[in-house]
Amino acid sequence: MLTCGSWLLLRAIVLALALTAAASGLEVVVTSSPSSVALAADDKDKKDNKNKGNDDDEDHVARGMVLGIDTLKDPPELVLAGADGEMVVRVVKTDEISLNGVRLCDHLKLDGEKIHEYLFEATRIEIETKRRCYRSSENVLN
């Protein structure tokens, strides 16, 4: 018959075996959970994105109405009223503003690169609509 001390030792061994079995079973459960996988785009997807052009890419196209023009800065800057509010546009080609005849209140489409929501570096300017501004101080149309 087992003595009290051997009975406690047997209980400790059985408990240790049960914990070991439970831990190994838990490991199987944890490792069998589905892992996240990042899929790489194939070349066909990249070609399709290039064929769409820049019109769908808001990081490379900006639109807005001209609120200010500063050709004294290097590079020259425009201030546009865009979808996210006022945006400063650095015009990389320094003569692009004068070549296109950009004036206040013109609505522009700009190709380039968005630095952040309020700063854009333009490489190409296209006037979509020429607008006339109302000058409240003179009460006349521009």
Side-chain angles (χ1 to χ4, degrees):
M1 203 156 157
L2 295 175
T3 64
C4 185
S6 14
W7 179 250
L8 288 175
L9 181 63
L10 183 61
R11 276 181 50 188
I13 292 173
V14 169
L15 182 63
L17 288 173
L19 286 174
T20 304
S24 65
L26 182 63
E27 183 181 329
V28 171
V29 171
V30 170
T31 58
S32 66
S33 65
S35 58
S36 58
V37 176
L39 301 175
D42 60 356
D43 290 337
K44 182 182 177 191
D45 291 339
K46 290 178 185 175
K47 289 177 186 174
D48 289 343
N49 288 338
K50 287 181 182 176
N51 291 337
K52 287 181 183 177
N54 286 339
D55 287 339
D56 297 326
D57 188 4
E58 60 187 40
D59 287 338
H60 294 95
V61 175
R63 287 185 163 87
M65 185 176 75
V66 179
L67 299 177
I69 301 171
D70 188 352
T71 55
L72 298 177
K73 287 190 176 178
D74 187 29
E77 290 183 354
L78 299 171
V79 178
L80 293 186
D84 297 326
E86 285 189 12
M87 173 183 6
V88 174
V89 177
R90 291 185 189 145
V91 183
V92 178
K93 295 180 182 176
T94 57
D95 59 346
E96 193 78 8
I97 294 172
S98 61
L99 287 176
N100 286 296
V102 175
R103 296 181 64 196
L104 293 177
C105 298
D106 287 348
H107 192 271
L108 306 180
K109 175 186 174 195
L110 307 162
D111 293 331
E113 185 172 353
K114 178 169 49 171
I115 307 303
H116 54 75
E117 295 300 318
Y118 306 107
L119 179 60
F120 190 86
E121 288 188 347
T123 55
R124 191 174 77 80
I125 297 176
E126 177 184 333
I127 298 177
E128 290 187 320
T129 309
K130 286 215 172 255
R131 300 195 184 213
R132 296 185 160 261
C133 289
Y134 178 73
R135 293 187 204 165
S136 60
S137 62
E138 298 175 10
N139 294 329
V140 294
L141 290 177
N142 183 11

